[in-house]
């Protein structure tokens, strides 16, 4: 990155190009003078040398998962009702949780 000195030929060329892209500038033609007084104009320049590119891929190997992916399973079958007073709920024995016993609570 290089800072261009105000008034230099590179600064003038850069400011002329930037000024055309500032459509709503409040000071219009005075903008270059304000930029010279209050702002810095920076230009990106490539380095003198570059490093050779690597031969292989730069992508990292995926991280192994600690367990197999979980598939979305269906909710448990609810053979007994939730106890709202219907006949299926009364058929379930009291010592077994309702909704998960399909042996004796089958409607």
């Amino acid at each position: 990155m290089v800072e261009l000195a105000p008034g230099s030929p590179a600064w003038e060329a850069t400011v002329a190009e930037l000024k055309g892209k500032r459509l709503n500038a409040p000071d219009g033609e005075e903008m270059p003078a304000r930029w010279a007084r209050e702002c810095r104009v920076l230009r990106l320049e490539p380095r003198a040398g570059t490093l050779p590119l690597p031969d292989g891929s730069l992508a990292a190997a995926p991280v192994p998962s600690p367990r197999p992916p979980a598939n979305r399973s269906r909710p448990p079958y609810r053979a007994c009702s939730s106890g709202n007073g219907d006949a299926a709920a009364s058929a379930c024995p009291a010592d077994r949780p309702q909704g998960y016993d399909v042996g004796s609570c089958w409607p």
Side-chain angles (χ1 to χ4, degrees):
M1 188 178 328
V2 177
E3 182 175 353
L4 302 177
S8 68
W11 187 88
E12 294 291 341
T14 303
V15 166
E17 188 173 336
L18 292 173
K19 179 183 166 191
K21 296 179 181 186
R22 292 297 311 253
L23 300 176
N24 296 329
D27 50 357
E29 294 300 319
E30 298 299 320
M31 187 169 35
R34 179 173 55 86
W35 284 357
R37 189 176 59 251
E38 301 173 4
C39 302
R40 295 175 12 175
V41 177
L42 304 173
R43 178 174 60 194
L44 297 175
E45 291 184 352
R47 292 183 176 178
T50 60
L51 298 174
L53 295 175
D55 293 332
S57 173
L58 295 178
V63 177
S65 177
R67 60 189 171 110
N71 294 333
R72 185 175 177 175
S73 63
R74 289 191 265 168
Y77 180 77
R78 196 170 179 94
C80 299
S81 73
S82 59
N84 59 2
D86 63 312
S90 62
C92 291
D95 60 336
R96 296 187 185 179
Q98 292 185 2
Y100 297 98
D101 182 25
V102 294
S104 61
C105 298
W106 198 267

